[in-house]
Amino acid sequence: SSELSQDPAVSVALGQTVRITCQGDSLRTYYASWYQKKTGQAPVLVMYGKKNRPLGISDRFSGSTSGNTASLTITGAQAEDEADYYCHSRDSSGNHVVFGGGTKVTVL
Amino acid sequence: EVELVESGGGLVNPGGSLRLSCASSGFIFSDYTMTWVRQAPGKGLEWVSSISSSSTNIYYTDSVKGRFTISRDNAKNSLYLQMNSLSAEDTAVYYCARYRFSAVSNYFDYWGQGTLVTVSS
């Protein structure tokens, strides 16, 4: 079982806002990072650190952390945002990497 | 431009071995910790192994410990994963990724396209 918990699936209407959450004790110590994964493609980093967005990533994506929960928010979701989203951080030992189980985002 | 290109995947019998390679370019390979991450069919991303820039620190997920060996050749800008005693549970797309970390932050900023490993008789 993963030390980071994500809801399996969420849906959002085109142009609306959706928040994806990731829970885990290690998030009280380490920031989460977030990856977009589409079928047949490599994962893409979309958010890392406190609130950092890599170059080329749409500003529709934003991140936040509160306590043991990290969140990725997509504001004004577009059809191309439909994908699986994974959070990632370190485990409680700090030496190993752990991924959340992933959240499938469907844009209606 | 940073580029990571995996190779070496394929079909292998249960109990067999395979060696994956990841060729890098566009950055100073010897400055970075590198990682293998896999995704089994219909499953999520799973961290497999990490190796520090000088190979001093090496970590494995429990399910591959004793069977997989990560290594790197900084002179060749390449990362490797030797996989032995393979089972069907190892069937996955294997990605190499560049790992960045600080005291409170960690992330994979560049990924390869992946190489498929299929373990089946």
Side-chain angles (χ1 to χ4, degrees):
Chain A
S1 63
S2 175
E3 293 188 28
L4 298 178
S5 298
Q6 297 182 243
D7 291 331
V10 295
S11 60
V12 57
L14 185 67
Q16 296 303 301
T17 297
V18 61
R19 174 177 289 183
I20 307 162
T21 60
C22 174
Q23 287 188 307
D25 287 342
S26 64
L27 298 181
R28 296 185 186 279
T29 304
Y30 307 108
Y31 290 115
S33 56
W34 292 91
Y35 304 85
Q36 179 190 71
K37 179 69 171 70
K38 297 181 179 180
T39 302
Q41 298 183 21
V44 174
L45 176 68
V46 296
M47 191 66 54
Y48 67 97
K50 191 173 183 180
K51 291 183 179 182
N52 299 302
R53 194 171 49 243
L55 288 175
I57 299 301
S58 170
D59 59 5
R60 295 194 301 275
F61 293 91
S62 61
S64 63
T65 299
S66 178
N68 72 336
T69 302
S71 300
L72 177 72
T73 300
I74 308 174
T75 303
Q78 300 300 303
E80 61 263 33
D81 300 332
E82 189 164 284
D84 295 325
Y85 290 84
Y86 294 89
C87 64
H88 146 255
S89 190
R90 299 182 212 181
D91 70 356
S92 52
S93 76
N95 291 325
H96 289 192
V97 167
V98 62
F99 286 96
T103 298
K104 182 176 183 59
V105 172
T106 300
V107 179
L108 304 173
Chain B
E1 180 188 3
V2 172
E3 191 170 18
L4 299 170
V5 180
E6 303 93 337
S7 61
L11 176 63
V12 60
N13 291 324
S17 298
L18 215 54
R19 190 194 194 208
L20 306 184
S21 299
C22 173
S24 73
S25 60
F27 67 103
I28 302 174
F29 181 74
S30 58
D31 282 351
Y32 292 89
T33 292
M34 298 297 294
T35 299
W36 289 99
V37 175
R38 67 184 179 183
Q39 185 175 35
K43 303 295 185 181
L45 298 175
E46 180 186 26
W47 167 74
V48 175
S49 181
S50 297
I51 184 169
S52 62
S53 57
S54 59
S55 303
T56 302
N57 297 309
I58 289 176
Y59 304 101
Y60 299 97
T61 191
D62 287 346
S63 63
V64 309
K65 211 171 290 185
R67 300 187 300 121
F68 289 12
T69 302
I70 191 172
S71 63
R72 63 192 295 162
D73 186 334
N74 287 342
K76 294 183 177 179
N77 297 323
S78 293
L79 175 72
Y80 306 102
L81 187 67
Q82 177 67 43
M83 304 185 296
N84 299 330
S85 303
L86 286 162
S87 70
E89 287 67 41
D90 298 314
T91 294
V93 176
Y94 286 74
Y95 298 96
C96 71
R98 191 174 81 170
Y99 186 50
R100 308 289 302 276
F101 63 95
S102 67
V104 294
S105 178
N106 60 125
Y107 54 97
F108 303 106
D109 59 352
Y110 288 96
W111 297 70
Q113 283 301 307
T115 187
L116 175 63
V117 172
T118 303
V119 184
S120 175
S121 55

